Amino acid sequence: MTQENGYRQRRWPAVAAVVALVAVLGVAVAVAGRQQATDSTAKPATDGTFAIRNARIFDGVEVIERGTVLVRDGLIEAVAADVAVPDGITVVDADGKTLLPGLIDAHVHAWGDAQQDMLRFGVTAGLDMHGMAERLSALRAQRESTAPSAQADLWAAGYAVTAAGGHGTQYGFPVPTVDADTDIPAFIAARVAEGDDFIKLIVEDLSGYANGRTLPTLDAAQVRAVVDAAHAHDRIAVAHVSTQASAREVLDAGIDGFVHVADDAVVDDAFVADVARRDVFVVPTLVVIASVAGSDAGRTLAQDSALSPWLTPEQRDSLGARMSTAPKPQRLADAIDSVRRLHAAGATILAGSDAPNAGTAQGASLHGELALLVQAGLTPRQALVAATSAPAARFGIVDRGRIAPGLRADLVLVDGNPLDDITATRRIHTVWKNGARVERTKPAAALAAGAVPGDTRISDFETGLDAGFGSWAPTTDQMAGGASTVAHARIEGGANGSAGALSVAGEIKTGFAFPWSGVIFFPAAQAMQPADLSSRGELVFRVRGDGRRYNALLFSGASPTSMPAMQAFEAGSEWAEVRLPLSGFAGADLSQVRGIAWTAGQPEGTFAFALDDVELR
Amino acid sequence: MDRTIDPGAHVSLWRCYLLDTRCELLRLLREPMYIIPTLLFPALFYVMFGLLLGGRGSSEAARYLLATYGVFGAMGAGLFGFAVTLSIDRERGFFALRRALPAPPSAWLVSRLLIAMLFALAIVLELATLATVFGGVSLASGQWALLWTITVLGALPFCAIGLLLGSIASANAAPAWVNLLFLPMAFLSGLWLPLSMLPGIFAKLAPLWPAWHLAQIALGVTGQAGATPLWLHLLVLCVVTVACCVLALRRLARAV
């Protein structure tokens, strides 16, 4: 009996030991395996490893007057006044400069080139407040990757929650909306299932703008239901408001943050006290309110010599635009006063620009917002907190916003000391994203309207590949992952006994769904830069070739990546003149022509043709 | 009849451990099967891969492999020191004899732990000499001390694994079992080659191997830490140690 007892007593430790072993190894694989799969720290680091020395370091909260940051494989490894720098790694001497965490813009609407534009100005992360849900998983994958990137990372609200026909539905993409019959918990569950990082509500009926037009918007009960549902899914809820009345309503519903400061009046004491007591944060977006107020803030920002060279023509246009025609300077004054009072009461202020609204531009405007926050009573250091550690903390972004070991090496090195002079953030020396230095290229200047010479002739290839204006280049599907090839060169002997022509020969290969290969003419000084050809009516050229059918493609419009318009032509064995009316390029925007291409497509195989006497009449 | 030992003849426990350790050490030193692979291989491999092949042009490989070959050494010291000798002793009935001896029952365990840690220390000192003299590796004195401490203490989980193997395997099978575990685990834990140079699946499975966790801690000291938190490595090593000890001691108590 004792033996039986003893045996039984001895049995459980063994079972417990095996269970513990299996459990802890399972946990280890689950926790570490995923990190390890992408974790390149185990390799002897040579690339992506560097140290920044002698920098004034603002780590998102504190300042180290002179210190070193060590970056290894996209992550910050060490930051301190005194860090041992391993032999043989790249060292950046940052004497006289200040190192900041990558800036976070707490209010953007990012599409198109926004993420590149943000990064060029040191904004390495943004909080997107309204946009299509389809891209949410791609945004998530992008920000989880530690590979070198040319784009800022985004956390996004997906579709903002708004009423049917309300503000937010007017931007040309379908938005699911809330009406009286909507089952709000199910509605929010659907948004969360789409991948929303947080929930944004729009409470805006335009009544604050006193222009007689009002929009439907969410009522108080709906707001409360949305906030409760967001919290039930562990998402924070933030709100667009522009009036004191709706701000109060949303505050009472338990909102986590405002993504504008209401600008119809100065906030009252009770509201300020409540915001502070409930620890609600405010993203004032003073730059966009400045635009609403009719101030010249955007235009002034565009003229800042530290920012100006890095603005694209589109950004310059956007900064120069104004939201309203009738200046209402009181709105900006009230908003600044409100921020001052909220800040003084201890409310958390976050920096956000609401770019790319009129009067703002992605990236650049966050620097303008920082200056306005300082104007509203924040110290430069508090303003920097508002653009780094504070938004990261409030939006649950655990690996950004600070310079601390283990965090993502998203860093901005600026000349001077923004802790004394906030405008020093504009004097960007280097931006690192995921530990890789970002190539900051100056955008090409816009071509002035009518800058294309009056001469209709492009090229006759008598002496070379030069053009009356613009330039020639090869184009193939390799830029889209295909494998087609092409070679182009001037050859002796052209149409009508002329001295030369342009020979284009290559091979269409499989590898891309719509293979192409050929030659492209760029009308402006830079590739794919738009030129105004609206005064021209006809594309005329002579062609000779292998009898294949070819396409003339016309790239145009605001985006360089939009689909080209197309017309077909044949290239027989004898020289023949082809005349293609520009009106035949359906849907083309002739005021912004980016390129004209002569290409072969399917079927696969080799092709060869020659062009001569190309004209735009 | 109750007492065969005169309670007056008091012998210090430490002296028992020391004597046992000395005897055990002598025995091992006469056993080339243990001493050669344990003491020489890490240093030999380090010279080949860390200094001659990988170390050219950069001290990063030398620094990385300094940490991982130390782990490799501690692993060998623990596994071989326990598993093989224990299985031999068990088969020869040495444990039955020991029970009859006037020695503390834990002495054999303590002496072997001490020896494994001693060997681990010898190995890291060898590696440190090679790394500083030939590999151009320089660490702060605190880093050296921490690296040595981690490697020496790091032998303990492998002692426990060796203990378990030695309590199960026969004397003939034990060396095979140890090698079957030792070499693949070293490879799969990135001790010879960084895991980033292997297919991704190996990196995903690395957390299964205690050697990987110890190597991550050691790499943390040499400034090449991974993203996995320290507590997880420590937790795995502690649980492996305790679980293997519990299983092995239970088996030994029943078997002998």
Side-chain angles (χ1 to χ4, degrees), chain B residues 4-232:
Chain B
T4 53
I5 298 169
D6 177 5
H10 184 78
V11 180
S12 144
L13 197 61
W14 275 112
R15 197 171 143 68
C16 292
Y17 288 158
L18 218 61
L19 274 171
D20 221 303
T21 306
R22 209 183 69 180
C23 295
E24 196 65 35
L25 193 60
L26 262 177
R27 169 188 168 182
L28 285 176
L29 290 176
R30 289 170 182 161
E31 200 135 28
M33 187 176 87
Y34 176 67
I35 194 136
I36 289 178
T38 314
L39 282 187
L40 283 188
F41 277 12
L44 203 67
F45 283 9
Y46 185 69
V47 169
M48 277 165 62
F49 297 107
L51 302 181
L52 296 178
L53 297 174
R56 256 180 284 170
S58 138
S59 63
E60 286 296 328
R63 182 193 285 258
Y64 178 86
L65 293 176
L66 167 67
T68 59
Y69 274 121
V71 170
F72 180 65
M75 196 177 152
L79 283 174
F80 283 103
F82 267 83
V84 180
T85 55
L86 183 61
S87 61
I88 294 172
D89 291 353
R90 208 163 43 84
E91 278 200 355
R92 287 182 184 162
F94 190 60
F95 277 96
L97 175 66
R98 286 210 64 126
R99 284 192 170 180
L101 290 177
S106 60
W108 67 271
L109 189 65
V110 172
S111 67
R112 280 171 208 206
L113 285 176
L114 287 176
I115 288 168
M117 286 157 73
L118 188 70
F119 274 60
L121 182 65
I123 292 160
V124 283
L125 292 179
E126 280 172 29
L127 293 175
T129 311
L130 291 169
T132 37
V133 176
F134 301 106
V137 174
S138 65
L139 296 180
S141 49
Q143 279 179 300
W144 281 119
L146 202 55
L147 183 65
W148 296 342
T149 311
I150 284 166
T151 314
V152 168
L153 291 178
L156 294 179
F158 301 101
C159 290
I161 297 172
L163 187 69
L164 182 58
L165 281 176
S167 71
I168 297 169
S170 71
N172 280 333
W177 279 113
V178 172
N179 276 315
L180 212 58
L181 183 71
F182 181 55
L183 299 177
M185 174 145 64
F187 181 72
L188 294 174
S189 301
L191 302 189
W192 296 342
L193 277 181
L195 289 174
S196 56
M197 296 168 73
L198 300 177
I201 180 74
F202 293 118
K204 277 198 184 123
L205 291 180
L208 278 179
W209 317 117
W212 178 77
H213 292 279
L214 183 58
Q216 292 302 306
I217 299 177
L219 285 169
V221 175
T222 59
Q224 294 161 304
T228 312
L230 180 65
W231 64 263
L232 188 69

Side-chain angles (χ1 to χ4, degrees), chain A residues 10 36 41-45 72 77, chain B residues 60 64 194 196 203 223 226 228 250:
Chain A
R10 282 201 305 272
Q36 184 61 18
T41 49
K43 74 175 178 231
R72 194 183 295 277
E77 182 168 293
Chain B
E60 286 296 328
Y64 178 86
S196 56
T228 312
R250 174 179 168 270

Side-chain angles (χ1 to χ4, degrees), chain A residues 7 10-18 20-22 24-46 49 70 72 75 77 84-89 406, chain B residues 58-61 63-64 136 138 143 194-197 200 203-210 212-213 216 219 222-229 231-232 235-236 239-240 242-244 246-247 250 253-254:
Chain A
Y7 184 72
R10 282 201 305 272
R11 190 165 191 164
W12 71 263
V15 173
V18 171
L21 196 58
V22 170
V24 81
L25 289 178
V27 167
V29 171
V31 173
R34 273 190 63 195
Q35 290 174 345
Q36 184 61 18
T38 51
D39 177 16
S40 53
T41 49
K43 74 175 178 231
T46 46
T49 298
L70 184 60
R72 194 183 295 277
L75 298 179
E77 182 168 293
V85 176
D87 298 336
I89 67 166
Chain B
S58 138
S59 63
E60 286 296 328
R63 182 193 285 258
Y64 178 86
S138 65
Q143 279 179 300
L195 289 174
S196 56
M197 296 168 73
K204 277 198 184 123
L205 291 180
L208 278 179
W209 317 117
W212 178 77
H213 292 279
Q216 292 302 306
L219 285 169
T222 59
Q224 294 161 304
T228 312
W231 64 263
L232 188 69
L235 177 70
V236 169
V239 169
V240 165
V242 172
C244 288
V246 166
L247 289 170
R250 174 179 168 270
R254 277 204 300 163

Side-chain angles (χ1 to χ4, degrees), chain A residues 41-391:
Chain A
T41 49
K43 74 175 178 231
T46 46
D47 297 329
T49 298
F50 60 93
I52 302 163
R53 253 202 305 231
N54 297 329
R56 178 180 297 101
I57 300 167
F58 169 71
D59 70 2
V61 184
E62 303 289 335
V63 179
I64 299 170
E65 275 304 328
R66 197 172 184 82
T68 301
V69 168
L70 184 60
V71 172
R72 194 183 295 277
D73 295 323
L75 298 179
I76 295 158
E77 182 168 293
V79 50
D82 183 24
V83 173
V85 176
D87 298 336
I89 67 166
T90 308
V91 174
V92 177
D93 183 37
D95 193 23
K97 301 183 177 68
T98 304
L99 188 69
L100 310 170
L103 301 176
I104 300 174
D105 190 329
H107 190 146
V108 295
H109 299 279
W111 67 84
D113 295 334
Q115 287 167 277
Q116 289 98 298
D117 289 341
M118 289 161 78
L119 194 54
R120 200 167 54 248
F121 291 97
V123 178
T124 57
L127 296 158
D128 187 283
M129 289 292 160
H130 181 39
M132 285 191 281
E134 285 74 17
R135 63 187 188 143
L136 292 174
S137 63
L139 293 180
R140 190 178 298 269
Q142 186 177 33
R143 71 192 190 219
E144 283 175 1
S145 165
T146 51
S149 171
Q151 299 199 319
D153 292 324
L154 292 179
W155 278 255
Y159 299 115
V161 182
T162 187
H167 184 52
T169 61
Q170 72 274 45
Y171 296 112
F173 58 94
V175 175
T177 53
V178 170
D179 60 26
D181 302 327
T182 302
D183 174 355
I184 286 177
F187 183 89
I188 296 301
R191 303 287 80 74
V192 170
E194 286 166 353
D196 286 8
D197 295 306
F198 52 92
I199 300 295
K200 183 203 179 183
L201 307 90
I202 297 177
V203 185
E204 174 64 83
D205 62 4
L206 298 184
S207 60
Y209 295 91
N211 57 2
R213 190 168 66 112
T214 60
L215 283 176
T217 192
L218 304 173
D219 65 31
Q222 287 169 326
V223 168
R224 189 175 290 273
V226 169
V227 172
D228 290 347
H231 290 167
H233 289 281
D234 288 330
R235 298 294 190 281
I236 64 167
V238 300
H240 162 115
V241 294
S242 65
T243 64
Q244 307 302 325
S246 46
R248 164 51 72 185
E249 176 186 303
V250 169
L251 183 65
D252 291 342
I255 200 79
D256 299 287
F258 292 101
V259 294
H260 296 291
V261 68
D263 62 346
D264 60 337
V266 179
V267 286
D268 62 47
D269 290 341
F271 182 81
V272 170
D274 268 7
V275 167
R277 183 174 55 79
R278 298 184 197 218
D279 197 20
V280 170
F281 64 82
V282 181
V283 187
T285 64
L286 293 172
V287 279
V288 87
I289 292 172
S291 173
V292 171
S295 101
D296 263 344
R299 222 166 291 219
T300 311
L301 200 63
Q303 284 160 4
D304 186 310
S305 61
L307 298 174
S308 174
W310 307 98
L311 293 166
T312 63
E314 293 80 7
Q315 286 184 299
R316 207 179 299 275
D317 288 351
S318 182
L319 281 170
R322 266 189 211 167
M323 202 76 113
S324 101
T325 46
K328 306 178 201 81
Q330 194 55 43
R331 279 186 175 276
L332 180 60
D334 286 354
I336 288 177
D337 213 9
S338 293
V339 174
R340 179 175 290 114
R341 304 186 65 184
L342 287 161
H343 171 63
T348 300
I349 306 292
L350 308 184
S353 65
D354 204 7
N357 271 295
T360 69
Q362 299 285 4
S365 283
L366 190 64
H367 298 278
E369 181 72 15
L370 289 174
L372 283 168
L373 290 179
V374 169
Q375 202 181 322
L378 279 73
T379 64
R381 178 157 142 180
Q382 287 165 337
L384 290 172
V385 168
T388 53
S389 57

